[in-house]
């Protein structure tokens, strides 16, 4: 995944907002937190380029280990249970879900070390053959990139519909939008 993590985090948040009753945080805070979690694993790209000089596949870093996100998710679920109605554990839970979503999305064509640090074996549903230079063209020209585009279109349509619904609710009865 190159460009769909942020919109996928948005879709995750919107889905959760429909499913969760009362919230200890604002819908905006939930949405921003889910989106932040959905891109957080890729912050390791700073280390990859600045310090590691691209020597290690960035999906081998701790921030791309599913055990990290599953562990954070478990801890935050416990914290939510112990500290009911507190915003911080709830936001940690949402952030963890965003990070785990990132792992799932990357698993389509990006190698993810699902059993790290115990097993040094990458897993991906599909392989992108190396045919083009620069390397990223292989991903952009692969059929799986359509999935990213669909996620983006879905998120944009969802956002647009919500904006429309909000504007309709704010108008007095009998008035029509211009």
């Amino acid at each position: 995944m190159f460009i769909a993590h942020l919109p996928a985090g948005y879709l995750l948040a919107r889905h959760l907002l429909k499913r969760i009753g009362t919230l200890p945080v604002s819908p905006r805070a939930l949405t921003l937190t889910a989106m932040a979690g959905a891109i957080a694993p890729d912050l390791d790209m700073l280390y990859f380029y600045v310090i590691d000089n691209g020597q290690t596949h960035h999906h081998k870093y701790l921030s791309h280990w599913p055990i990290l996100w599953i562990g954070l998710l478990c801890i935050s679920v416990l914290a939510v249970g112990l500290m009911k109605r507190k915003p911080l554990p709830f936001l940690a839970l949402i952030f963890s879900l965003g990070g785990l979503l990132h792992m799932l999305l990357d698993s389509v064509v990006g190698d993810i070390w699902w059993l790290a640090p115990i097993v040094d074996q990458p897993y991906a549903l599909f392989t992108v053959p190396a045919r083009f230079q620069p390397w990223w063209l292989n991903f952009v020209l692969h059929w799986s990139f359509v999935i990213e585009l669909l996620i983006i279109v879905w998120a944009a349509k969802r956002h647009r519909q919500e904006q429309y619904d909000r504007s309709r609710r704010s108008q007095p009865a009998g008035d029509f939008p211009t």
Side-chain angles (χ1 to χ4, degrees), residues 49-162:
Y49 284 112
V50 175
I51 297 169
D52 190 41
N53 206 24
Q55 296 178 49
T56 306
H57 190 309
H58 82 105
H59 285 185
K60 284 186 126 182
Y61 298 151
L62 177 66
S63 62
H64 268 89
W65 288 0
I67 195 167
L68 170 73
W69 297 101
I70 293 168
L72 289 173
L73 185 63
C74 291
I75 291 167
S76 58
V77 164
L78 288 171
V80 165
L82 293 172
M83 299 184 272
K84 294 183 184 331
R85 308 297 312 151
K86 298 286 184 187
L88 191 57
F90 181 77
L91 290 174
L93 174 69
I94 300 303
F95 185 81
S96 302
L97 286 171
L100 195 53
L101 175 63
H102 185 108
M103 299 299 103
L104 293 170
L105 292 172
D106 273 359
S107 293
V108 175
V109 293
D111 290 336
I112 292 293
W113 278 256
W114 276 95
L115 302 175
I118 300 161
V119 177
D120 186 14
Q121 171 69 46
Y123 298 92
L125 291 175
F126 302 98
T127 303
V128 177
R131 296 184 182 147
F132 308 105
Q133 287 297 332
W135 65 268
W136 52 266
L137 270 179
N138 294 295
F139 290 90
V140 172
L141 298 175
H142 191 260
W143 63 264
S144 62
F145 196 69
V146 172
I147 296 171
E148 294 199 58
L149 297 175
L150 290 172
I151 290 170
I152 292 166
V153 168
W154 181 15
K157 289 182 94 172
R158 178 82 184 259
H159 181 69
R160 186 174 178 182
Q161 183 64 48
E162 288 177 2

Side-chain angles (χ1 to χ4, degrees), residues 5-6 9-10 29-43 69 94-96 98-99 102:
H5 287 302
L6 201 60
Y10 173 81
L30 184 144
T31 302
L32 291 174
T33 303
M35 291 170 70
I39 62 168
D42 278 340
L43 293 176
W69 297 101
I94 300 303
F95 185 81
S96 302
H102 185 108

